[in-house]
């Protein structure tokens, strides 16, 4: 395991509101913060492999521009000078977007994707892009293009995925804000396995390009407050997302309602997803302990019956296999051969599917949506594990490490992509070996602010957490 974290007053470890207040008061500058973050990254990065396109000179140039704006009292927005990372698959102007695979041609992006554009407009300092697996189709940091990403809580373990580098970077303290994406759990799984917070928002709350069913971008942070500050910027409108929600001027930072907010709420407790991997005993116990805290705060918690059936999860899996098979078949032979063998085996298993089989597989998305909405209707929110077990070995492509059983760990997360409901991951405990355990908090559709408020209430209820991991010491490195 990693050594205990350094003091939380270090500049690299400050949260967004603390940074912004420090800039305003001139206690420190964006340049000093950027230098501190870069120094901390240098200690960690060769162990974690979380970043892509880290260019310190570009980081410092942005920090100096932000410093000048603050000195003139003219910050661009609520994130001016705040270091951020952005997942590989979210385009940033002038940078290639490899999608985690060696099969992609490295062509500079012509424009920022919507979430990156909003961050740039708000004055955020782009630290780097973060690593991901091939095409975002794995819950790990295994990639044919990027180096293998690892979990800072235990370097032998995966950070999860597909927002792999973002999860590792947040837990390791590469600044306060990291932007990832999620179509079946790719924000929440790494958040759960890395002990951080994330919000997968309602579909369309954060405009994204390209948009498609279930896909959402979201902040990955150490605290709920940091995510709330990010939502002020990320939720601004962008016409490129044909599935985006009408813009609402939401008071995103109004999250301090306290545990009294939970009094009288009706909460469903889902401990059996209905399919997929069985829930590990330590995960079950941690989620049950979290539910008891909600009860002690005055909420009414009741067990939920499972609602996701194996044929639903299998159908979604098989549809995604066919989509990926078609994408890979469109590549020249040499580029197709560069894709991870696990991904190729998974995708090519769909080669013999009939039109009828593809149609039946596609119908499972809507079926999952209907079942999820119906199951959640009696409740104000639903609590569940994020994943059935803790982080798997770093070298594994998925918790089963079997391309014919690739999605058995997402049965708790994928339903809320299909139902378009906001769902957060927040740490609720640790295994005997010290690995974090994620609690999923799913709310009513469109009530993203409500999920943030409830997550903040739980953040207060759960009490102090273990120190964040810090870089391995030289002595520890000799034992590897």
């Amino acid at each position: 395991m990693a050594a205990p974290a350094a003091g939380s007053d270090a500049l690299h470890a400050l949260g967004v509101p603390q940074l912004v207040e420090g800039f305003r008061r001139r206690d420190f500058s964006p340049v000093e913060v950027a230098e501190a973050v870069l120094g901390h990254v240098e200690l960690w990065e060769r162990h974690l492999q979380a970043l892509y396109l880290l260019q310190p000179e570009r980081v410092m140039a942005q920090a100096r521009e932000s410093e000048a704006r603050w000195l003139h009292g003219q910050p661009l927005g609520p994130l001016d000078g705040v270091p951020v990372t952005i997942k590989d698959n979210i385009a940033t102007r002038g940078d290639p977007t490899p999608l985690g695979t060696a099969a992609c041609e490295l062509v500079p992006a012509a424009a920022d994707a919507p979430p990156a554009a909003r961050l740039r407009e708000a004055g955020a300092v782009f630290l780097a892009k973060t690593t991901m697996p091939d095409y975002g189709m794995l819950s790990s940091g295994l990639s044919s293009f990027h180096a293998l990403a690892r979990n800072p809580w235990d370097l032998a373990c995966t950070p999860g995925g597909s927002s792999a580098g973002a999860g590792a970077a947040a837990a390791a303290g590469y600044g306060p804000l990291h932007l990832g994406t999620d179509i079946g759990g790719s924000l929440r799984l790494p958040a759960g396995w890395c002990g951080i917070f994330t919000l997968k928002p309602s579909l369309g709350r954060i405009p994204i390009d390209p948009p498609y069913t279930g896909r959402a971008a979201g902040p990955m942070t150490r605290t709920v407050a940091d995510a709330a500050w990010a939502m002020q910027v990320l939720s601004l409108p962008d016409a490129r997302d044909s599935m985006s929600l009408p813009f609402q001027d939401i008071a995103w930072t109004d999250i301090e309602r306290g545990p009294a907010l939970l009094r009288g709420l009706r909460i469903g407790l889902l401990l059996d997803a209905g399919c997929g991997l069985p829930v590990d005993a330590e995960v079950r116990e941690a989620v049950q302990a979290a539910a008891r805290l909600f009860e002690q705060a005055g909420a009414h918690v009741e067990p939920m019956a499972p609602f996701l059936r194996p044929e639903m999860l299998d159908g979604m899996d098989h549809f995604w296999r066919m989509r990926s098979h078609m994408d890979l078949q469109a590549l020249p032979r040499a580029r197709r051969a560069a894709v991870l063998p696990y991904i190729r085996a998974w995708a090519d298993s769909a080669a013999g599917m009939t039109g009828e089989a593809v149609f039946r597989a596609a119908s499972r998305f809507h079926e999952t949506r209907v079942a999820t909405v119906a199951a959640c209707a009696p409740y104000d929110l639903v609590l569940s594990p994020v994943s059935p077990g803790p982080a798997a070995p770093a070298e594994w492509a998925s918790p089963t490490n079997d391309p014919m059983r690739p999605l058995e760990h997402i049965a708790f997360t994928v339903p809320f992509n299909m139902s378009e409901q906001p769902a957060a991951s927040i740490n609720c405990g640790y295994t005997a070996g010290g690995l974090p355990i994620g609690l999923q908090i799913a709310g009513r559709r469109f009530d993203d602010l409500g999920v943030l408020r409830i997550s903040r209430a739980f953040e207060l209820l759960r009490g102090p957490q273990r120190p964040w991991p810090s870089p391995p010491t030289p002595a520890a490195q000799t034992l590897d």
Side-chain angles (χ1 to χ4, degrees), residues 77-101:
L79 300 179
D80 204 330
V82 174
V84 303
T85 70
I86 299 173
K87 188 177 177 181
D88 161 352
N89 66 343
I90 298 173
T92 49
R93 185 180 66 243
D95 298 324
T97 309
L99 305 178
T101 180

Side-chain angles (χ1 to χ4, degrees), residues 35 37 42 56 141 145-146 165 178 181 185 288 295 333 363 441 469 473-474:
E35 289 173 340
V37 171
E42 186 175 0
F145 180 80
H146 301 297
H178 310 271
T181 61
Q288 288 175 322
E295 285 185 312
R333 184 182 298 273
S363 71
I441 301 174
T473 64

